[in-house]
Amino acid sequence: MMLVGDRGRFAIEYELDHLPSGSAGLEPGLGHWMFGRIRWWCGGEKIGRYQPNTAIRDVAAAADRMLVSDNARRSPALMALPAREVAHIVTEALFADNDRSDAQIAADGAHYWPFFVGPRTESFEPWDIFVVEDEAGARLMWGLAGLREVRECSLRRGEFAGVLRDFLGALEWGDRQ
């Protein structure tokens, strides 16, 4: 078991499946999928199904995409709002089926996707996860899809991205793609 980060704040816990030497368990060329178990820890709470045979590569690819938009997660306006309101604003902007123009949908997507940091993989399917930052710090917010209850914890500014970078570094992600 590997752990990157702080379980009480934000961490990624994972195990990679190891095949016995000489095993024909995977077809040649499929080792880059990095099967195993993975979950995130948000404010001391386990998020994700820690089940065997999960494609760790899918979560790593999502983490890599999240790092590209790391600087776009800064919003003093969202930092000032209650967690449930932040979750509602972001999910409505990204997923609501309403009368917005195509141009408005594209603009909302460009603006709000960086705040939505759930990996969107099968292991994390029922959870929505958000990060908002300002100059003073960051907020990690999460809840089951539908967002009846949204929990949160405070992070240091850049802490979320730092854990993602450490996770990808531990996987030697750049060498495996």
Side-chain angles (χ1 to χ4, degrees):
M1 187 269 306
M2 297 287 297
L3 181 72
V4 179
D6 177 343
R7 281 188 181 122
R9 299 166 61 82
F10 175 63
I12 300 173
E13 180 179 3
Y14 66 98
E15 296 177 50
L16 295 177
D17 290 342
H18 297 285
L19 297 174
S21 60
S23 170
L26 282 181
E27 293 178 35
L30 292 182
H32 67 279
W33 279 98
M34 297 180 290
F35 290 102
R37 302 168 187 260
I38 190 163
R39 67 177 154 219
W40 286 9
W41 288 84
C42 297
E45 186 176 334
K46 299 171 191 174
I47 305 296
R49 298 182 195 109
Y50 202 67
Q51 298 174 336
N53 304 314
T54 298
I56 304 297
R57 177 185 173 89
D58 293 345
V59 180
D64 197 38
R65 284 190 304 273
M66 288 175 214
L67 285 173
V68 170
S69 56
D70 181 41
N71 290 328
R73 277 191 271 284
R74 294 204 173 94
S75 174
L78 289 177
M79 282 291 283
L81 297 175
R84 188 171 177 164
E85 193 169 340
V86 171
H88 177 75
I89 289 169
V90 173
T91 55
E92 282 291 307
L94 296 176
F95 306 116
D97 184 15
N98 53 30
D99 293 331
R100 295 176 293 166
S101 68
D102 289 346
Q104 186 61 51
I105 291 170
D108 286 348
H111 179 74
Y112 287 104
W113 267 116
F115 303 111
F116 190 91
V117 298
R120 304 298 281 185
T121 63
E122 186 178 338
S123 291
F124 293 89
E125 194 171 66
W127 288 277
D128 288 339
I129 307 167
F130 313 87
V131 171
V132 178
E133 296 186 348
D134 65 9
E135 294 305 315
R139 294 167 63 197
L140 173 64
M141 296 161 269
W142 66 94
L144 291 173
L147 301 167
R148 286 183 273 277
E149 181 181 352
V150 179
R151 294 189 173 102
E152 79 172 286
C153 74
S154 296
L155 300 177
R156 293 179 302 277
R157 190 180 77 178
E159 183 175 356
F160 177 79
V163 171
L164 294 181
R165 276 195 274 308
D166 291 348
F167 166 65
L168 294 175
L171 291 177
E172 299 173 353
W173 177 247
D175 298 335
R176 292 182 184 246
Q177 293 185 55

